[in-house]
Amino acid sequence: MKMRKLFLMLSLICSFNLFAAPKNSMTIFEEKFDKETVGFYLTNDDGVNAAVFADSMKAEVNVLVYDESEIEQIKKMAFESKVLVKSVTTRDQYEARNIYQEIVKKFRAFTPIAKNDYDFFGDYGFVRVSYFITQDASISNRDRLGIQSTTEKILKLLLDSTPASSTSKPSSSKTSEENAKLIVWSFTDELETYLCEYDYGYGDTHPNVEVGYSLIPTDQFPTALDSAFARGDGPDVFALEEAFVRRYVESGMLLPLDDLYEEVKEKMEDFPIKIGSYDGHVYAMSWGMYPGAMFYRRSLAKKYLGTDDPEKIQELFSDEDKMLETARILKERSNGKCRLVSALEDLYRPFLGMRRKPWVVDGELYLDPAMEKYMDVCKIMHDEELDADAGQWSEAWFAGMEDWLRDEDGNRLEVFSYFMPTWGLKWVLEPNSPETSGDWAMCAGPSGWYWGGTWIAANKNTKNPNAAKEMIRYLTTDEYFLEEMAMSSGELVGNIKVQDKIKDDFDESFLGGQNYYDEFCEYAKNVDGTLYQSSDNEIYMYFMEAVASYYYGDSSKEEALEEFRHEVRNRLGF
């Protein structure tokens, strides 16, 4: 591909001519995978200290300008990066473990101040040099590096010697005609990928919009956003994670997207829009959906339930009472070895999806009967040893995926199922249970629920509201872009037309040939997006403390609930 050749040449020229060449430079490592080079360099050119990370197959050179006082932190980061790269021997391993992304995260976590320069060159799309500035290194030091001007010279040289691509891409149905600059913040690098690195990405189709992108760690993101809003500035467009999307949707600080939603509502799945809506207005939209499913072991289902057929297994788990009864059957027929789940926390989200009302109604805490039922089920399962009593995300929790789990006496335990959302399949189950690949299947379980996600919103004070809305429209609804993204990543998109076009193409060997994409599209229809509020995460923490206190026998159910209500009332005011 012409574009990848361009990127390869750019990265090689930048990494060796611009960064390795200065008179005072140090190569921390330079690793070759086939003919491709990954390198980390420290340079001092004209008194400017910079750390440089370059990968010859990426369209990006990462530069971090730092003060001399920060050298120990920089060396630590360089050493950690070297360990990551040296831990693999092939390019496939390097990509599979997301090592490039991990090192870039280290660069960007070092400082919240970041600037990216883009140049658009026709069919080649955007090529970026990113640089990150810490403490007092400031704009003057950045400019003295001459990064932007050097990049422009390299690009012109390459384009003069590289024939133009003969292939043409479809143009965006709504390419922005205005010259605008949008500052974009995110806590995840997936947004950056969608903006800049796809052949038919936002950059290719919106050449007149300059994008300044910053990646801020998730735990720092709300604080950074709040500070920016308090100053009266902040990004034009930004990502919002499930943990805090409702907080900002309800804040009054976001640009309404009602007119945009009216244009696309016929082709968009309902529940992500509902989560991004408040008081009759849409404030945030998402490109994806993250409904949950019950993933179970086929071999255990056949052995103890007589079938591994998803439709028949679903009948046994279609409500909470059937689920509890089936858990007892699994334990009885396995002589105590087979437990329904590793951790009782796994069941929280499915019960959350059974609710009819949210946690707060008319300003008061409301305990939905489904949540009381969750407490009862947890107590029964703990007392009857129907779960493995492993904390969610613990080593024991993961061990259950690969048949390594043991009880306190060293006896083997079998874990029948894990309740996970869409990302749980590709990022949790598959990487952590290669030995049991093919022995899994999925069904809906007792309710429709979701877990996770990324929404995109705009600052109500943005100077470019039309360009901001167009970026959100493109990333969350454009059919050509979403199809390319879904086919390359497996992401479950919220555009129903795209779903219908591609959903038959995802037979999954890990699931014994079952089509997870088609299944998740159906499960999403049962998620109620109106039940989620900004206070949910804090209420969750207090509720789970009460649940644990009850099922471990530290308090009665009434005492645990009274303590729960007390905490919510005193800390949250409900």
Side-chain angles (χ1 to χ4, degrees), residues 417-443:
S417 63
Y418 286 81
F419 287 77
M420 300 292 292
T422 52
W423 50 263
L425 173 62
K426 291 296 182 180
W427 300 105
V428 180
L429 283 175
E430 285 193 26
N432 291 287
S433 53
E435 296 300 318
T436 53
S437 178
D439 190 35
W440 294 85
M442 64 187 288
C443 63

Side-chain angles (χ1 to χ4, degrees), residues 30 36 74:
E30 204 168 73
E36 301 152 20
I74 293 294

Side-chain angles (χ1 to χ4, degrees), residues 59-233:
E60 177 175 334
V61 178
N62 296 277
V63 185
L64 172 61
V65 180
Y66 64 91
D67 293 325
E68 190 62 37
S69 63
E70 299 169 310
I71 186 63
E72 293 305 317
Q73 294 170 268
I74 293 294
K75 286 181 178 178
K76 179 177 183 292
M77 180 178 67
F79 175 76
E80 292 173 348
S81 300
K82 181 176 181 178
V83 170
L84 282 171
V85 172
K86 295 290 186 180
S87 69
V88 297
T89 57
T90 68
R91 185 76 192 190
D92 287 344
Q93 293 172 342
Y94 175 83
E95 296 289 355
R97 297 185 188 180
N98 294 317
I99 290 176
Y100 177 80
Q101 288 83 356
E102 288 301 314
I103 295 176
V104 171
K105 284 180 184 177
K106 291 179 182 297
F107 265 66
R108 300 184 182 193
F110 197 87
T111 170
I113 306 171
K115 182 174 176 62
N116 302 302
D117 280 333
Y118 300 80
D119 281 291
F120 184 78
F121 290 87
D123 287 336
Y124 296 111
F126 277 92
V127 177
R128 176 182 57 246
V129 171
S130 304
Y131 41 98
F132 310 93
I133 305 136
T134 72
Q135 295 184 15
D136 297 327
S138 74
I139 297 297
S140 60
N141 277 354
R142 182 203 74 215
D143 289 343
R144 287 167 64 188
L145 278 176
I147 295 171
Q148 186 170 9
S149 61
T150 304
T151 305
E152 290 173 352
K153 293 175 184 177
I154 292 170
L155 283 168
K156 288 178 181 178
L157 176 65
L158 289 172
L159 289 170
D160 287 343
S161 60
T162 307
S165 171
S166 60
T167 58
S168 61
K169 303 181 183 74
S171 61
S172 168
S173 60
K174 263 197 169 181
T175 299
S176 174
E177 295 181 356
E178 62 180 311
N179 292 312
K181 180 174 182 178
L182 293 176
I183 302 301
V184 180
W185 284 11
S186 183
F187 52 86
T188 170
D189 58 6
E190 63 182 344
L191 177 56
E192 182 181 23
T193 299
Y194 300 156
L195 282 171
C196 311
E197 296 182 11
Y198 273 52
D199 285 0
Y200 184 65
Y202 175 85
D204 275 357
T205 55
H206 298 75
N208 296 321
V209 180
E210 179 185 354
V211 178
Y213 183 88
S214 292
L215 182 71
I216 301 171
T218 306
D219 60 345
Q220 301 173 26
F221 193 87
T223 300
L225 199 56
D226 289 346
S227 298
F229 283 146
R231 294 191 305 266
D233 51 26

Side-chain angles (χ1 to χ4, degrees), residues 548-563:
S549 177
Y550 175 47
Y551 71 67
Y552 281 127
D554 297 330
S555 62
S556 67
K557 180 179 178 182
E558 291 72 21
E559 291 170 338
L561 286 176
E562 179 55 35
E563 179 63 20

